[in-house]
Amino acid sequence: MHKIIENGYNAYLLGCVSNLTGIPKDELKRCGEACIEQLIGAYEFASDLPETTEEMLRQELMRIIAEKQEG
């Protein structure tokens, strides 16, 4: 299992990313540890900004996932 997911808080955040994107956690894990770190970081950062809507956050997360899948 990825080191970053071993942390309970990060596992919770990955679950939040999964719920928001509709992509199962197991599928997200296949993107790799760097992708997971980027997704969690983006989720934490954007969810702290009052002007961020759920749709804006979902689109950003999907963009990160698409970039990792293409690369």
Side-chain angles (χ1 to χ4, degrees):
M1 182 169 273
H2 298 290
K3 291 179 211 161
I4 192 162
I5 299 170
E6 292 173 4
N7 177 307
Y9 182 64
N10 286 336
Y12 165 76
L13 290 175
L14 186 62
C16 293
V17 169
S18 175
N19 289 338
L20 191 59
T21 61
I23 300 172
K25 283 200 279 187
D26 288 339
E27 192 173 325
L28 288 173
K29 291 175 189 176
R30 285 187 231 132
C31 291
E33 191 167 339
C35 180
I36 290 171
E37 289 176 5
Q38 191 175 1
L39 289 169
I40 288 174
Y43 183 88
E44 281 186 302
F45 177 77
S47 58
D48 285 343
L49 300 174
E51 67 272 11
T52 302
T53 66
E54 188 173 292
E55 181 58 24
M56 290 167 59
L57 180 54
R58 188 189 72 73
Q59 287 177 6
E60 177 63 13
L61 296 172
M62 295 303 287
R63 183 192 63 74
I64 292 168
I65 293 166
E67 283 180 1
K68 295 297 178 186
Q69 289 176 340
E70 290 172 3

